[in-house]
Amino acid sequence: MESQLGIIEQSFNVRYSGWVREALDELTDSFTITDPSISGHPIVYASNGFSKMFGYDKDEVVGRNGRTFQGPKTNRRSVMEIREAIRQERPLQISLLNYRKDGTPFWMLFHMCPVFSKEDGRVIHFVGVQVPISRRRRWSSSGVSRNGINLCEDGGEITNEAIFRCCRREVCSDSAIQLGRSVALDSALGSDNRELDVDEACEASELEKRKSAAAINNVLSVLTHYSELTGRLVCGKRCCLPEKSLINAALNISLGRIKQSFVLSNPFLPDFPIVYASDAFLKLTGYGRHEVLGRNCRFLSGLDTDPATSFQITECINFEQACTVRILNYRKDRTSFWNFLHISPVRNATGKVAYFVEVHVIDICTNWEKQGLSPEMRQLSVVAAVKVAVRSSSMCSTS
Ligand SMILES: Cc1cc2nc3c(=O)[nH]c(=O)nc-3n(C[C@H](O)[C@H](O)[C@H](O)COP(=O)(O)O)c2cc1C
C-alpha cells in the first residue's frame, strides 16, 4: 500500500512540474497547501514563513490537518465557518486564534481559497494564508468598560481604544515610553490582562486583509505557472464545465419553458454537478448562471443546515429514489431561507437515470391556496415537465 507521504508527494508532482517547491519556498508569506482528496485533508506543502510563524519544521507539518494549530480558546464558530467554506469550495477570510508549537496563542487572519482543475472544474487543492493580526479593530463591550486610563498613543493622541484593540502587548510597545505605560496598564488591569488579548475577538485591519489577498495571489500564480508546464492546468477561479458536459441545445430550450425554480444535476460526472439551472432558481438564490453550473448543490447549505437532512438527500440519490425535505438553504448574500425541496431521478428514453431534478419551493407556510396549486403539486408538475423534456430530447438524439 502506498504510504501517506508518497500520496502527498504525488498530490503535488502529478499536477505541477519540478521546481514548484523551490518557487514556493521563495515566497516569504506564511501559507500552507492542502489536498481535500486525501483522507484527513492533510497539508501537502508548508512555506518557510509558516515554519517561522508557528515554530514547527516543515516535515512536522506536512501530512497533518490545519486544525493541529487550534487550541482550547479557538472560537468553535469560526472553525465551523472554515469547515463550511471548505465543503462549499469557496474562499474565506476570517480571524482565528491559533497556537504556536511552544503553546503560545496568537490571533491571525486566516485566508483560504480553493484551487480548481481547469480540465473538469474540480477542487484539487486549497491554499491557506496566515497573517498575524497586530491590532484589535473591533470593540468588545467588556473591553470598553474595563479601564479609563489612557496609556497607548495612536498618531500622537492617547486613546482608550488603542489600548484595548491591541491584540498583543508588543504592539503597544514601540517605544520605551509606551512600554512603561504598557506595564502600568498590566498592573492597572491585574495579572490576567494577557488573557484579554486571547479571549476577545480580534479583527484584521484593511492592510492585513490586503496582505493576505496578495499572498494568495502570489501562491496562485506560482501554482498556475507550474501547472502550465505539465499541461494539467489549475486556476483560482471556478471554471465552468466543458461545453460537452452540459445539456444539448434542444433540451436547454425545452427546460427554458418551465418557469419554476429547479436545477438538473448529472450523476455521471465527478461530484454530481449542476448542468442546468432555471432563471427562477438564479433569481431565488442570487447567483449568476456561470456561478452554479458545474457545482454540486451543496453550496446552498450552510452553517445551520441540518446535516441529517443533507444525509437523507444523499441516501435518496444513492438509491435513485425521489424524496422531499425541508432544508435550510442560503442565498449568495448569505441570507437563509427554508427550502421545501423535492428531488427526483429523471430517466431517458431507454429507462436509465440520466439526471436528477431538484425543485425548490420557498416558504411553504404562505397561503398557497391563493396561488392555485399546493407546493407538492407545483413540484410534481415541474418534475413531469422535466421528464417529458429529457425523454423527448434523448429520443431525438438516438433516432
Ligand atoms: C489550506 C488550509 C489551511 C489551513 N490552515 C489552518 C491553520 O493554519 N490553522 C487552523 O486553525 N486551521 C487551518 N485550516 C482549517 C482546518 O484544517 C480545518 O479545515 C478546520 O478546523 C475545520 O474543519 P474541522 O471542523 O474538521 O476541524 C486550514 C484549512 C485549509 C483548507
Side-chain angles (χ1 to χ4, degrees):
M1 214 178 73
E2 218 175 346
S3 73
Q4 176 83 347
L5 272 181
I7 295 170
I8 287 171
E9 282 270 302
Q10 273 294 93
S11 159
F12 237 63
N13 298 350
V14 159
R15 190 62 63 168
Y16 312 110
S17 68
W19 304 109
V20 64
R21 283 192 176 75
E22 286 74 3
L24 291 171
D25 283 347
E26 280 175 20
L27 302 177
T28 52
D29 298 293
S30 167
F31 65 94
T32 50
I33 299 173
T34 61
D35 186 337
S37 71
I38 302 178
S39 159
H41 192 173
I43 294 170
V44 294
Y45 173 87
S47 74
N48 292 326
F50 182 90
S51 295
K52 213 157 133 191
M53 188 190 291
F54 284 77
Y56 288 92
D57 285 340
K58 283 186 181 194
D59 45 355
E60 289 180 293
V61 170
V62 169
R64 295 169 94 167
N65 182 286
R67 79 174 73 84
T68 307
F69 315 107
Q70 298 161 10
K73 292 194 170 168
T74 304
N75 184 309
R76 299 325 294 166
R77 182 100 192 155
S78 306
V79 171
M80 276 167 67
E81 278 190 47
I82 300 174
R83 194 188 308 158
E84 264 313 298
I86 292 173
R87 208 174 59 80
Q88 295 176 11
E89 303 179 338
R90 63 176 165 81
L92 176 76
Q93 239 187 3
I94 195 166
S95 302
L96 194 68
L97 188 79
N98 264 196
Y99 292 73
R100 299 184 187 89
K101 189 178 176 183
D102 65 10
T104 52
F106 67 103
W107 278 98
M108 60 142 179
L109 172 64
F110 176 62
H111 190 159
M112 176 193 82
C113 82
V115 181
F116 298 95
S117 153
K118 248 191 174 162
E119 269 163 309
D120 54 16
R122 268 191 298 167
V123 173
I124 43 153
H125 289 133
F126 280 91
V127 176
V129 164
Q130 301 83 9
V131 174
I133 300 178
S134 53
R135 276 175 176 265
R136 175 169 295 135
R137 307 295 301 177
R138 191 175 39 197
W139 276 100
S140 78
S141 54
S142 58
V144 177
S145 58
R146 285 198 48 183
N147 199 294
I149 309 167
N150 296 325
L151 294 168
C152 194
E153 290 182 40
D154 221 4
E157 283 206 7
I158 306 172
T159 62
N160 269 337
E161 185 183 357
I163 301 167
F164 289 103
R165 77 184 184 197
C166 292
C167 293
R168 293 180 302 162
R169 171 66 38 236
E170 59 268 31
V171 175
C172 278
S173 315
D174 288 349
S175 68
I177 299 169
Q178 282 173 346
L179 181 63
R181 285 171 171 165
S182 164
V183 170
L185 174 68
D186 274 342
S187 56
L189 292 178
S191 57
D192 69 340
N193 177 37
R194 279 184 163 272
E195 294 290 297
L196 181 87
D197 297 338
V198 171
D199 285 337
E200 294 187 16
C202 199
E203 199 185 313
S205 65
E206 282 311 310
L207 187 70
E208 286 152 351
K209 288 180 184 168
R210 281 204 298 275
K211 199 171 170 227
S212 74
I216 289 266
N217 282 340
N218 289 340
V219 178
L220 284 177
S221 25
V222 169
L223 295 182
T224 308
H225 176 69
Y226 283 84
S227 73
E228 274 162 8
L229 300 174
T230 61
R232 306 196 66 193
L233 267 120
V234 302
C235 51
K237 285 239 155 63
R238 182 177 297 281
C239 332
C240 240
L241 279 177
E243 203 63 14
K244 63 178 167 37
S245 304
L246 296 174
I247 57 173
N248 65 43
L251 180 56
N252 207 6
I253 292 170
S254 310
L255 295 176
R257 297 197 186 103
I258 307 170
K259 297 301 171 203
Q260 308 287 334
S261 171
F262 72 98
V263 297
L264 222 57
S265 299
N266 186 332
F268 300 105
L269 292 174
D271 205 27
F272 202 163
I274 296 175
V275 290
Y276 179 88
S278 73
D279 288 341
F281 171 82
L282 303 177
K283 198 166 162 214
L284 169 68
T285 59
Y287 287 98
R289 187 159 274 115
H290 66 285
E291 292 174 297
V292 301
L293 291 182
R295 293 180 83 172
N296 182 292
C297 269
R298 75 173 78 85
F299 70 88
L300 290 173
S301 36
L303 270 187
D304 293 320
T305 305
D306 183 359
T309 314
S310 307
F311 181 72
Q312 194 185 340
I313 296 173
T314 311
E315 285 291 278
C316 288
I317 290 170
N318 289 343
F319 289 103
E320 297 191 347
Q321 282 173 355
C323 73
T324 306
V325 294
R326 194 164 174 262
I327 185 168
L328 189 70
N329 277 171
Y330 293 79
R331 299 182 183 86
K332 185 178 176 182
D333 64 8
R334 306 314 295 157
T335 54
S336 60
F337 62 97
W338 280 104
N339 185 0
F340 185 51
L341 175 69
H342 179 78
I343 301 177
S344 172
V346 178
R347 296 175 192 278
N348 61 19
T350 65
K352 283 205 179 123
V353 172
Y355 302 103
F356 277 81
V357 59
E358 288 121 57
V359 191
H360 316 92
V361 176
I362 190 170
D363 195 8
I364 54 167
C365 299
T366 54
N367 194 359
W368 52 262
E369 285 94 341
K370 284 187 190 150
Q371 299 167 17
L373 287 178
S374 70
E376 291 85 351
M377 290 304 288
R378 272 158 60 199
Q379 287 172 331
L380 293 180
S381 70
V382 174
V383 172
V386 169
K387 283 182 174 173
V388 170
V390 168
R391 218 159 296 162
S392 26
S393 123
S394 66
M395 280 194 297
C396 293
S397 57
T398 51
S399 59

